[in-house]
Amino acid sequence: MVTPYIISVSREVLLSVPRDQREAALSLGSTHWESTWKVVVPFARAAIMGSIFLALARALGETMAVTMVIGNAPVISASLSRWLFDCLPLSPTSSPKLPAIALSIPIELGLVLFLLTFILNGSLAC
């Protein structure tokens, strides 16, 4: 499901490039392929990268939803009463058996994700 999403969003982005950009390249003597690869694609590069990240984030979100439904285990239970418990999101603090280091791991991963998002948004804005 990632590839069709990337293709559809990228297609819309490429079609939204101003017509003046294409016509200017063509009027300077470039072919259609040259104008596409040297003018249109660089103009829409940031949005194409955004569509890739958006599609990957969507796939990750759908995967995590299924993982939460099956209870974070590779075994699917046939019991309907167990399904209700599996759907509840469990926090790391709900288990008293976890060591202190296990409690800091989700926080550190969240900070890494925040920094990665901040860096990517800053680099694509230029």
Side-chain angles (χ1 to χ4, degrees), residues 77-86:
S77 175
S79 171
L80 290 178
S81 62
R82 177 146 169 77
W83 179 81
L84 292 173
F85 179 71
D86 290 344

Side-chain angles (χ1 to χ4, degrees), residues 69-110:
V69 167
I70 64 172
N72 293 330
V75 178
I76 298 175
S77 175
S79 171
L80 290 178
S81 62
R82 177 146 169 77
W83 179 81
L84 292 173
F85 179 71
D86 290 344
C87 290
L88 296 173
L90 300 173
S91 68
T93 59
S94 64
S95 176
K97 295 183 249 179
L98 292 175
I101 188 73
L103 297 177
S104 66
I105 290 173
I107 295 171
E108 292 173 7
L109 288 176

Side-chain angles (χ1 to χ4, degrees), residues 3-50:
T3 306
Y5 198 76
I6 293 172
I7 290 172
S8 66
V9 173
S10 297
R11 180 180 181 272
E12 292 299 319
V13 166
L14 291 172
L15 291 176
S16 69
V17 172
R19 188 170 188 86
D20 295 341
Q21 294 285 335
R22 294 177 191 168
E23 290 177 357
L26 291 173
S27 68
L28 291 173
S30 64
T31 63
H32 286 284
W33 280 105
E34 288 175 339
S35 67
T36 299
W37 286 107
K38 293 183 180 179
V39 175
V40 175
V41 172
F43 192 84
R45 183 181 306 135
I48 292 171
M49 292 300 293

